[in-house]
Amino acid sequence: MALRLPRQSDVGCPATSEICGTACTSTLTDAYNCGKCGNVCPGGSGVVTCSAGVCGTSSTCPSGTNSCGTICYDLSADAYNCGNCGTKCPNPGGSQLSTCLKSACELRPRNVSSNSASASAPPATSSTIATNTGTDSASTLTASPSSVTSSSLSLKGSTSSNVSAGAAAGIGIGCAVIGALLAGLALFFILSRRNRRKPNHQHSGTSSNNGGYIPQEKSGVTATVANVDRLLPQPTEDDAMIAGLSKIRDAIKNHVQNYYHTAPVDPKMMEEAGLVELARVLAIPTSGIMDLLLNPATRVPILRLYLGHLILSRCSGQPDTTLSFLPSEVSALAASDSGAKATTAAEVALFSKWKTISGTLLQQRYGQQPNGNDPREASIAEALTSSELVLRPFVNPSIDTNVRRRNLEGIMRRAAQYAFLMFSQPSSFIFDYTRTGHPDGLVVFPALLITVNDEGKKLSPPRVLSEKEVVAGLGRY
């Protein structure tokens, strides 16, 4: 299998492919991304085919494709079967794309200066790369994946602009909301300090018209700001927080039991790169997780663990807002959660107040499960695409995969609503995967810990709100 370094012009996917996850794929022939990314063709009698972006089954594979098990692949362009069945191209992720071109693997830098998700846009030219990267060396060509936002992905096929009018409007609204929040907080503290500094010259027994100071309020502003806490909702009860998380846990458990098989799987079909972050959290090697997934006896709990981590890790703030189920207006700042870091008591209290005020102002827009034009839909679509890289070898071929995807999408929408509920509380939370008491077990669903209480005070140690679920007998790692 050949693997060559990218040429200067080899940026983004080839003209006949588009980005699905971290690999270039042809949605015209890929049965796992047929017609669009993440659309997995269902099994049936004969071999599974994807021809011209349409799923089907046949007794033989169409011209230009070969049978690998029960699925037809274009071995000249499939990054997971490049040149031969099971030959998977390296997939480092980050700023590089895994590509199979003419049966040979390549690593290509992402093209973030234009529409990197477009299947029709041609590769960038040398002059384009020199302009956008400031270098003529292919070996030092870099591109930041965080620059590829959900807004740029929505401009598929566009050549006139990198940002649509809708995306620009969304950015403007987000900036306006954040600006309003900061201005409100500034007004609150300025007026509060001014109130405290006013001298009280009126003593007991002094007449109201003898020159003593009588505090005056203009339009009720001072009273409103001083009593801002009375305008905020009460924190959600612990039982309601526990119940919301339990519904997500149970939904993931039912999803895994209903839509995935425990039959043997070819290790070459597995995607190790998608397990790196989970391995880091669990402090075990990715090879250990792969072994557990390959073992039919341990596959179900490990799939639950993988999906639980994939979903819950997106329920907090992220610097890259496409990786968070929180609204983009607050996600980046929430990523610096003062409640989880060693900061002063004042900073912890201010962060707690900011969350509560922001959550109250945004409640009407984001308090329900996302749907329609909700900007969180882009983050859910990204999570679904990422999950397919790991899940697809284990999908039950006898079940309509679109039904499976809709079920998983519904779980993620529920999680997005829960993420906003957690953010809106004065308390701060973390998910804990630490193993205790079970040397041969793994935490398949984490505990929920409170790190900052409702009064904005940091807790040490944190308080356990919801217990973790541990499955024993999975081995030592």
Side-chain angles (χ1 to χ4, degrees), residues 182-266:
L182 294 176
L185 286 174
L187 178 63
F188 167 68
F189 289 112
I190 290 173
L191 293 178
S192 296
R193 292 185 57 162
R194 182 180 300 173
N195 232 17
R196 289 196 297 268
R197 289 177 179 176
K198 287 181 179 179
N200 185 5
H201 299 295
Q202 183 174 356
H203 301 282
S204 176
T206 303
S207 172
S208 60
N209 59 356
N210 66 353
Y213 174 77
I214 303 177
Q216 300 291 327
E217 293 182 358
K218 296 182 180 180
S219 303
V221 173
T222 303
T224 300
V225 173
N227 297 301
V228 66
D229 286 343
R230 298 183 182 180
L231 304 177
L232 300 176
Q234 291 296 311
T236 302
E237 295 290 338
D238 286 357
D239 289 346
M241 297 296 297
I242 295 171
L245 186 60
S246 298
K247 290 179 180 178
I248 297 174
R249 179 198 61 205
D250 295 343
I252 292 174
K253 182 177 182 179
N254 292 333
H255 177 82
V256 171
Q257 292 175 340
N258 291 332
Y259 294 105
Y260 303 91
H261 65 76
T262 55
V265 170
D266 185 348

Coordinates of all heavy atoms in Angstrom, one line a residue, residues 182-266:
L182 N -22.8 41.1 29.1 CA -21.6 41.7 29.7 C -22.0 43.1 30.2 O -21.7 43.6 31.3 CB -20.5 41.8 28.7 CG -19.8 40.4 28.4 CD1 -18.8 40.6 27.3 CD2 -19.3 39.8 29.6
A183 N -22.8 43.8 29.3 CA -23.2 45.2 29.7 C -24.2 45.1 30.9 O -24.1 46.0 31.8 CB -24.0 45.8 28.5
G184 N -25.1 44.1 31.0 CA -25.9 44.0 32.1 C -25.2 43.8 33.4 O -25.5 44.3 34.4
L185 N -24.2 42.9 33.3 CA -23.4 42.6 34.5 C -22.6 43.8 35.0 O -22.5 44.1 36.2 CB -22.4 41.4 34.2 CG -23.1 40.0 34.1 CD1 -22.1 39.0 33.7 CD2 -23.7 39.6 35.5
A186 N -22.1 44.5 34.0 CA -21.3 45.7 34.3 C -22.2 46.8 35.0 O -21.8 47.4 36.0 CB -20.7 46.3 33.1
L187 N -23.4 46.9 34.5 CA -24.4 47.9 35.1 C -24.7 47.4 36.5 O -24.8 48.3 37.4 CB -25.6 48.0 34.2 CG -26.7 48.9 34.8 CD1 -26.3 50.3 34.8 CD2 -28.0 48.8 33.9
F188 N -24.9 46.1 36.7 CA -25.3 45.6 38.0 C -24.2 45.9 39.0 O -24.5 46.4 40.1 CB -25.5 44.1 37.9 CG -25.5 43.4 39.2 CD1 -26.6 43.6 40.0 CD2 -24.5 42.5 39.6 CE1 -26.6 42.9 41.2 CE2 -24.6 41.9 40.8 CZ -25.6 42.0 41.6
F189 N -22.9 45.7 38.7 CA -21.9 45.9 39.7 C -21.6 47.4 39.9 O -21.3 47.8 41.0 CB -20.6 45.2 39.3 CG -20.8 43.7 39.4 CD1 -20.8 42.9 38.3 CD2 -20.9 43.1 40.7 CE1 -20.9 41.5 38.4 CE2 -21.0 41.7 40.8 CZ -21.0 40.9 39.6
I190 N -21.7 48.2 38.9 CA -21.5 49.6 39.0 C -22.5 50.3 39.9 O -22.2 51.0 40.9 CB -21.5 50.3 37.6 CG1 -20.2 49.9 36.8 CG2 -21.5 51.8 37.8 CD1 -20.2 50.4 35.4
L191 N -23.8 49.9 39.7 CA -24.9 50.5 40.5 C -24.9 50.0 41.9 O -25.2 50.7 42.8 CB -26.2 50.3 39.8 CG -26.4 51.0 38.5 CD1 -27.8 50.6 37.9 CD2 -26.4 52.5 38.7
S192 N -24.5 48.7 42.0 CA -24.4 48.1 43.4 C -23.4 48.8 44.2 O -23.6 49.1 45.4 CB -24.1 46.6 43.3 OG -25.2 45.9 42.6
R193 N -22.2 49.1 43.6 CA -21.1 49.7 44.3 C -21.5 51.2 44.7 O -21.2 51.7 45.7 CB -19.8 49.7 43.5 CG -19.3 48.3 43.4 CD -18.0 48.3 42.7 NE -17.0 49.1 43.4 CZ -15.7 49.0 43.2 NH1 -15.2 48.1 42.4 NH2 -14.9 49.8 43.9
R194 N -22.2 51.8 43.7 CA -22.6 53.2 44.0 C -23.6 53.2 45.1 O -23.6 54.1 46.0 CB -23.2 53.8 42.7 CG -23.7 55.2 42.8 CD -24.3 55.7 41.6 NE -23.3 55.7 40.5 CZ -23.6 55.9 39.2 NH1 -24.9 56.2 38.9 NH2 -22.7 55.8 38.3
N195 N -24.5 52.3 45.2 CA -25.5 52.2 46.2 C -24.8 52.0 47.6 O -25.2 52.6 48.6 CB -26.4 51.0 46.0 CG -27.9 51.4 46.0 OD1 -28.2 52.6 45.9 ND2 -28.7 50.4 46.1
R196 N -23.8 51.2 47.6 CA -23.1 51.0 48.9 C -22.3 52.2 49.4 O -22.1 52.4 50.6 CB -22.1 49.7 48.8 CG -22.9 48.4 48.6 CD -21.9 47.3 48.9 NE -20.8 47.2 47.9 CZ -20.9 46.5 46.8 NH1 -22.0 45.8 46.5 NH2 -19.9 46.5 46.0
R197 N -21.9 53.0 48.4 CA -21.0 54.2 48.8 C -21.8 55.4 49.2 O -21.3 56.4 49.7 CB -20.1 54.5 47.6 CG -19.1 53.5 47.3 CD -18.2 53.9 46.1 NE -17.2 52.9 45.9 CZ -16.4 52.9 44.8 NH1 -16.5 53.9 43.9 NH2 -15.4 52.0 44.6
K198 N -23.2 55.4 48.9 CA -24.0 56.5 49.3 C -24.0 56.7 50.8 O -24.4 55.8 51.5 CB -25.4 56.4 48.8 CG -25.5 56.6 47.2 CD -26.9 56.4 46.8 CE -27.0 56.6 45.3 NZ -28.4 56.5 44.8
P199 N -23.6 57.9 51.4 CA -23.7 58.1 52.8 C -25.2 58.3 53.3 O -26.0 58.8 52.5 CB -22.9 59.4 53.0 CG -23.1 60.1 51.7 CD -23.1 59.1 50.6
N200 N -25.4 57.8 54.4 CA -26.8 57.9 55.0 C -26.8 59.0 56.0 O -26.3 58.8 57.1 CB -27.2 56.6 55.6 CG -28.7 56.6 56.1 OD1 -29.4 57.6 55.9 ND2 -29.1 55.5 56.7
H201 N -27.2 60.2 55.6 CA -27.2 61.4 56.5 C -28.5 61.5 57.3 O -28.6 62.4 58.2 CB -27.0 62.7 55.7 CG -25.7 62.7 55.0 ND1 -24.5 62.7 55.6 CD2 -25.5 62.7 53.7 CE1 -23.5 62.7 54.7 NE2 -24.1 62.7 53.5
Q202 N -29.5 60.7 57.0 CA -30.7 60.8 57.8 C -30.7 59.9 59.0 O -30.6 58.7 58.8 CB -31.9 60.4 56.8 CG -33.2 60.6 57.5 CD -34.4 60.3 56.5 OE1 -34.1 60.1 55.3 NE2 -35.6 60.4 57.0
H203 N -30.8 60.4 60.2 CA -30.7 59.7 61.4 C -32.1 59.6 62.0 O -33.0 60.3 61.6 CB -29.8 60.3 62.4 CG -28.4 60.4 61.9 ND1 -27.5 59.3 61.8 CD2 -27.7 61.5 61.3 CE1 -26.4 59.7 61.3 NE2 -26.4 61.0 61.0
S204 N -32.2 58.7 63.0 CA -33.5 58.5 63.6 C -33.9 59.8 64.3 O -33.1 60.5 65.0 CB -33.4 57.4 64.7 OG -34.6 57.3 65.4
G205 N -35.2 60.2 64.1 CA -35.7 61.5 64.7 C -35.5 62.7 63.9 O -35.9 63.8 64.3
T206 N -34.8 62.5 62.7 CA -34.5 63.7 61.8 C -35.7 63.9 60.9 O -36.1 62.9 60.3 CB -33.2 63.5 61.0 OG1 -32.2 63.2 61.9 CG2 -32.9 64.7 60.2
S207 N -36.1 65.1 60.7 CA -37.2 65.4 59.8 C -36.8 65.1 58.4 O -35.7 65.3 58.0 CB -37.7 66.8 60.0 OG -38.6 67.2 59.0
S208 N -37.8 64.8 57.6 CA -37.5 64.5 56.2 C -37.2 65.7 55.4 O -36.7 65.7 54.3 CB -38.7 63.8 55.5 OG -39.9 64.6 55.6
N209 N -37.5 67.0 55.9 CA -37.2 68.2 55.2 C -36.1 69.0 55.8 O -36.1 70.2 55.6 CB -38.5 69.0 55.0 CG -39.1 69.4 56.3 OD1 -38.6 69.0 57.4 ND2 -40.2 70.1 56.2
N210 N -35.3 68.4 56.7 CA -34.3 69.2 57.4 C -32.9 69.2 56.7 O -31.9 69.4 57.4 CB -34.2 68.8 58.8 CG -33.6 67.4 59.0 OD1 -33.5 66.7 58.0 ND2 -33.4 67.0 60.2
G211 N -32.9 68.8 55.5 CA -31.6 68.8 54.8 C -30.9 67.4 54.8 O -29.8 67.2 54.2
G212 N -31.5 66.4 55.5 CA -30.9 65.1 55.5 C -31.1 64.4 54.1 O -31.9 64.8 53.3
Y213 N -30.2 63.4 53.8 CA -30.2 62.8 52.5 C -31.3 61.8 52.4 O -31.6 61.0 53.3 CB -28.9 62.0 52.3 CG -28.8 61.2 51.0 CD1 -28.6 61.8 49.8 CD2 -29.0 59.8 51.1 CE1 -28.6 61.1 48.6 CE2 -29.0 59.1 49.9 CZ -28.8 59.7 48.7 OH -28.8 59.0 47.6
I214 N -32.1 61.9 51.3 CA -33.2 60.9 51.0 C -32.9 60.2 49.7 O -32.8 60.9 48.7 CB -34.5 61.7 50.9 CG1 -34.8 62.5 52.2 CG2 -35.7 60.7 50.6 CD1 -36.1 63.3 52.1
P215 N -32.6 58.9 49.8 CA -32.3 58.2 48.5 C -33.4 58.3 47.5 O -34.6 58.1 47.9 CB -32.0 56.8 49.0 CG -32.7 56.6 50.3 CD -32.7 58.0 50.9
Q216 N -33.1 58.5 46.3 CA -34.1 58.6 45.2 C -33.7 57.5 44.2 O -32.6 57.2 43.9 CB -34.0 60.0 44.5 CG -34.3 61.1 45.5 CD -35.8 61.1 45.9 OE1 -36.7 60.8 45.1 NE2 -36.0 61.6 47.1
E217 N -34.8 57.0 43.5 CA -34.6 56.0 42.5 C -35.2 56.6 41.2 O -36.2 57.2 41.2 CB -35.3 54.7 42.8 CG -34.8 54.0 44.0 CD -35.5 52.7 44.3 OE1 -36.5 52.4 43.6 OE2 -35.1 51.9 45.2
K218 N -34.4 56.4 40.1 CA -34.8 56.8 38.8 C -35.4 55.6 38.0 O -34.7 54.7 37.6 CB -33.7 57.4 38.0 CG -33.2 58.7 38.7 CD -32.0 59.3 37.9 CE -31.5 60.6 38.5 NZ -30.4 61.2 37.7
S219 N -36.7 55.7 37.7 CA -37.3 54.6 36.9 C -37.2 53.2 37.5 O -37.3 52.2 36.8 CB -36.8 54.6 35.4 OG -36.9 55.9 34.9
G220 N -36.9 53.1 38.7 CA -36.9 51.8 39.4 C -35.6 51.0 39.0 O -35.6 49.8 39.3
V221 N -34.7 51.6 38.3 CA -33.5 50.9 37.8 C -32.7 50.3 39.0 O -32.3 49.2 39.0 CB -32.6 51.7 36.9 CG1 -31.4 51.0 36.5 CG2 -33.4 52.1 35.6
T222 N -32.4 51.2 39.9 CA -31.6 50.7 41.0 C -32.2 49.6 41.8 O -31.5 48.6 42.1 CB -31.3 51.9 42.0 OG1 -30.7 53.0 41.2 CG2 -30.4 51.5 43.1
A223 N -33.5 49.7 42.1 CA -34.2 48.6 42.8 C -34.1 47.3 42.0 O -34.0 46.3 42.6 CB -35.6 49.1 43.1
T224 N -34.3 47.4 40.7 CA -34.3 46.2 39.9 C -33.0 45.5 39.9 O -32.9 44.3 40.1 CB -34.8 46.5 38.4 OG1 -36.1 47.1 38.5 CG2 -34.8 45.3 37.6
V225 N -31.9 46.3 39.7 CA -30.6 45.8 39.7 C -30.2 45.2 41.0 O -29.6 44.1 41.1 CB -29.6 46.8 39.2 CG1 -28.2 46.3 39.3 CG2 -29.9 47.2 37.7
A226 N -30.5 45.9 42.1 CA -30.1 45.5 43.4 C -30.9 44.2 43.8 O -30.3 43.4 44.6 CB -30.5 46.5 44.4
N227 N -32.0 43.9 43.2 CA -32.8 42.7 43.5 C -32.8 41.8 42.3 O -33.8 41.1 42.1 CB -34.2 43.1 43.9 CG -34.3 44.0 45.1 OD1 -33.8 43.5 46.2 ND2 -34.8 45.2 45.0
V228 N -31.7 41.7 41.6 CA -31.7 40.9 40.4 C -31.9 39.4 40.7 O -32.5 38.6 39.9 CB -30.4 41.1 39.6 CG1 -29.2 40.6 40.4 CG2 -30.4 40.4 38.2
D229 N -31.5 39.0 41.9 CA -31.6 37.6 42.2 C -33.1 37.2 42.3 O -33.4 36.0 42.1 CB -31.0 37.3 43.6 CG -29.5 37.3 43.5 OD1 -29.0 37.1 42.4 OD2 -28.8 37.4 44.5
R230 N -34.0 38.2 42.6 CA -35.4 37.8 42.7 C -36.0 37.6 41.3 O -37.1 37.1 41.2 CB -36.2 39.0 43.4 CG -35.7 39.2 44.8 CD -36.5 40.3 45.5 NE -36.1 40.6 46.8 CZ -36.6 41.5 47.6 NH1 -37.6 42.2 47.2 NH2 -36.2 41.7 48.9
L231 N -35.3 38.1 40.3 CA -35.8 37.9 38.9 C -35.3 36.5 38.3 O -35.8 36.2 37.2 CB -35.2 39.0 38.0 CG -35.6 40.4 38.5 CD1 -34.9 41.4 37.5 CD2 -37.1 40.7 38.5
L232 N -34.4 35.9 39.0 CA -33.9 34.6 38.4 C -34.7 33.4 39.0 O -35.2 33.5 40.1 CB -32.4 34.4 38.8 CG -31.5 35.5 38.3 CD1 -30.1 35.3 38.9 CD2 -31.5 35.6 36.8
P233 N -34.9 32.4 38.2 CA -35.6 31.2 38.6 C -34.9 30.4 39.7 O -33.6 30.6 39.9 CB -35.8 30.4 37.4 CG -34.6 30.7 36.5 CD -34.4 32.2 36.8
Q234 N -35.6 29.7 40.5 CA -35.0 28.8 41.5 C -34.2 27.7 40.8 O -34.5 27.3 39.7 CB -36.0 28.2 42.4 CG -36.7 29.2 43.3 CD -35.7 29.8 44.3 OE1 -34.9 29.1 45.0 NE2 -35.8 31.1 44.4
P235 N -33.1 27.2 41.4 CA -32.3 26.1 40.8 C -33.2 24.9 40.7 O -34.1 24.7 41.5 CB -31.2 25.9 41.8 CG -31.1 27.2 42.6 CD -32.4 27.8 42.6
T236 N -32.9 24.1 39.7 CA -33.7 22.9 39.4 C -33.4 21.9 40.6 O -32.3 21.7 41.0 CB -33.3 22.2 38.1 OG1 -33.5 23.2 37.1 CG2 -34.1 20.9 37.8
E237 N -34.4 21.2 41.0 CA -34.3 20.2 42.1 C -33.4 19.1 41.7 O -33.3 18.7 40.6 CB -35.7 19.7 42.5 CG -36.6 20.7 43.1 CD -36.2 21.1 44.5 OE1 -35.5 20.4 45.1 OE2 -36.7 22.2 44.9
D238 N -32.7 18.5 42.7 CA -31.7 17.4 42.5 C -32.4 16.2 41.8 O -31.9 15.6 40.9 CB -31.1 17.0 43.8 CG -30.0 17.9 44.3 OD1 -29.8 18.9 43.6 OD2 -29.5 17.7 45.4
D239 N -33.6 15.9 42.2 CA -34.3 14.8 41.7 C -34.6 15.0 40.2 O -34.5 14.0 39.4 CB -35.7 14.6 42.4 CG -35.5 14.0 43.8 OD1 -34.3 13.6 44.1 OD2 -36.4 14.1 44.6
A240 N -34.9 16.2 39.8 CA -35.2 16.4 38.4 C -33.9 16.3 37.6 O -33.9 15.8 36.4 CB -35.8 17.8 38.2
M241 N -32.8 16.8 38.1 CA -31.5 16.6 37.4 C -31.1 15.2 37.3 O -30.6 14.7 36.2 CB -30.4 17.4 38.2 CG -30.6 18.9 38.3 SD -30.5 19.8 36.7 CE -28.8 19.4 36.2
I242 N -31.3 14.4 38.3 CA -31.0 13.0 38.3 C -31.9 12.3 37.2 O -31.4 11.4 36.5 CB -31.1 12.3 39.7 CG1 -30.1 12.9 40.6 CG2 -31.0 10.8 39.6 CD1 -30.3 12.5 42.1
A243 N -33.2 12.6 37.3 CA -34.1 11.9 36.4 C -33.8 12.2 34.9 O -33.9 11.4 34.0 CB -35.5 12.4 36.7
G244 N -33.4 13.5 34.6 CA -33.0 13.8 33.2 C -31.8 13.0 32.7 O -31.8 12.6 31.6
L245 N -30.8 12.9 33.6 CA -29.7 12.1 33.2 C -30.0 10.6 33.0 O -29.5 9.9 32.2 CB -28.5 12.3 34.2 CG -27.2 11.7 33.9 CD1 -26.6 12.3 32.6 CD2 -26.2 11.9 35.0
S246 N -30.8 10.1 33.9 CA -31.2 8.7 33.8 C -31.9 8.4 32.5 O -31.7 7.3 32.0 CB -32.1 8.3 35.0 OG -31.5 8.5 36.3
K247 N -32.7 9.3 32.0 CA -33.4 9.1 30.8 C -32.4 9.0 29.6 O -32.6 8.1 28.7 CB -34.4 10.2 30.5 CG -35.6 10.2 31.4 CD -36.5 11.4 31.1 CE -37.8 11.3 32.1 NZ -38.7 12.5 31.8
I248 N -31.4 9.7 29.6 CA -30.3 9.6 28.6 C -29.6 8.3 28.7 O -29.4 7.6 27.7 CB -29.3 10.8 28.8 CG1 -30.0 12.1 28.5 CG2 -28.2 10.6 27.8 CD1 -29.2 13.4 28.8
R249 N -29.2 7.9 29.9 CA -28.6 6.6 30.2 C -29.4 5.5 29.6 O -28.9 4.6 28.9 CB -28.3 6.4 31.6 CG -27.6 5.1 32.0 CD -27.8 4.8 33.5 NE -29.2 4.6 33.8 CZ -29.7 4.8 35.0 NH1 -28.9 5.2 36.0 NH2 -31.0 4.7 35.2
D250 N -30.7 5.4 30.0 CA -31.6 4.4 29.6 C -31.8 4.3 28.1 O -31.9 3.3 27.4 CB -32.9 4.5 30.3 CG -32.8 4.2 31.8 OD1 -31.8 3.7 32.2 OD2 -33.8 4.6 32.5
A251 N -31.9 5.5 27.5 CA -32.1 5.6 26.0 C -30.9 5.0 25.3 O -31.0 4.3 24.3 CB -32.3 7.0 25.6
I252 N -29.7 5.3 25.8 CA -28.4 4.8 25.2 C -28.4 3.3 25.3 O -28.1 2.5 24.4 CB -27.2 5.4 25.8 CG1 -27.1 6.9 25.4 CG2 -25.9 4.7 25.4 CD1 -26.0 7.7 26.1
K253 N -28.8 2.8 26.5 CA -28.8 1.3 26.7 C -29.7 0.6 25.8 O -29.4 -0.4 25.1 CB -29.2 1.1 28.2 CG -29.2 -0.4 28.5 CD -29.5 -0.6 30.0 CE -29.5 -2.0 30.4 NZ -29.8 -2.2 31.9
N254 N -30.9 1.1 25.6 CA -31.9 0.5 24.7 C -31.5 0.6 23.2 O -31.7 -0.3 22.5 CB -33.3 1.2 24.9 CG -33.9 0.9 26.2 OD1 -33.6 -0.1 26.8 ND2 -34.7 1.9 26.7
H255 N -30.8 1.7 22.9 CA -30.3 1.9 21.5 C -29.3 0.8 21.2 O -29.4 0.2 20.1 CB -29.7 3.3 21.4 CG -29.1 3.6 20.0 ND1 -29.9 4.0 18.9 CD2 -27.8 3.5 19.6 CE1 -29.1 4.1 17.9 NE2 -27.8 3.8 18.3
V256 N -28.4 0.6 22.0 CA -27.3 -0.4 21.8 C -27.9 -1.8 21.7 O -27.6 -2.6 20.8 CB -26.2 -0.3 22.9 CG1 -25.3 -1.5 22.7 CG2 -25.5 1.0 22.8
Q257 N -28.8 -2.1 22.6 CA -29.4 -3.4 22.6 C -30.3 -3.7 21.3 O -30.4 -4.8 20.9 CB -30.3 -3.6 23.8 CG -29.4 -3.7 25.1 CD -30.3 -3.8 26.4 OE1 -31.5 -3.4 26.3 NE2 -29.7 -4.2 27.5
N258 N -30.8 -2.7 20.8 CA -31.8 -2.8 19.7 C -31.2 -2.8 18.3 O -31.7 -3.3 17.3 CB -32.9 -1.8 19.7 CG -33.8 -2.0 20.9 OD1 -34.0 -3.2 21.4 ND2 -34.4 -1.0 21.4
Y259 N -30.0 -2.1 18.1 CA -29.6 -1.8 16.8 C -28.2 -2.3 16.4 O -27.7 -2.1 15.3 CB -29.5 -0.3 16.6 CG -30.9 0.3 16.6 CD1 -31.4 1.1 17.7 CD2 -31.8 0.2 15.5 CE1 -32.6 1.6 17.8 CE2 -33.1 0.7 15.6 CZ -33.5 1.4 16.7 OH -34.8 2.0 16.7
Y260 N -27.5 -3.1 17.3 CA -26.2 -3.6 17.0 C -26.1 -5.1 17.3 O -26.8 -5.6 18.1 CB -25.2 -2.8 17.9 CG -25.2 -1.3 17.6 CD1 -26.1 -0.5 18.4 CD2 -24.6 -0.7 16.6 CE1 -26.2 0.8 18.1 CE2 -24.7 0.6 16.3 CZ -25.5 1.4 17.1 OH -25.6 2.7 16.8
H261 N -25.2 -5.7 16.5 CA -25.1 -7.2 16.6 C -23.9 -7.6 17.4 O -23.0 -6.8 17.8 CB -25.0 -7.8 15.2 CG -23.7 -7.4 14.5 ND1 -22.5 -7.9 14.8 CD2 -23.5 -6.5 13.5 CE1 -21.5 -7.4 14.0 NE2 -22.1 -6.5 13.2
T262 N -23.8 -8.9 17.8 CA -22.7 -9.4 18.5 C -22.0 -10.5 17.7 O -21.3 -11.4 18.3 CB -23.1 -10.0 19.9 OG1 -24.2 -11.0 19.6 CG2 -23.6 -8.9 20.8
A263 N -22.1 -10.4 16.4 CA -21.4 -11.4 15.5 C -19.9 -11.0 15.4 O -19.5 -9.9 15.7 CB -22.1 -11.4 14.2
P264 N -19.1 -11.9 14.9 CA -17.6 -11.6 14.7 C -17.5 -10.5 13.7 O -18.2 -10.3 12.8 CB -17.1 -12.9 14.2 CG -18.0 -14.0 14.7 CD -19.3 -13.4 14.7
V265 N -16.5 -9.6 14.0 CA -16.2 -8.5 13.1 C -14.7 -8.5 12.7 O -13.8 -8.8 13.5 CB -16.5 -7.2 13.8 CG1 -15.9 -6.0 13.1 CG2 -18.0 -7.0 14.1
D266 N -14.4 -8.2 11.4 CA -13.0 -8.1 11.0 C -12.4 -6.9 11.6 O -12.8 -5.8 11.4 CB -13.0 -8.0 9.4 CG -11.6 -8.0 8.8 OD1 -10.6 -7.9 9.6 OD2 -11.5 -8.2 7.6

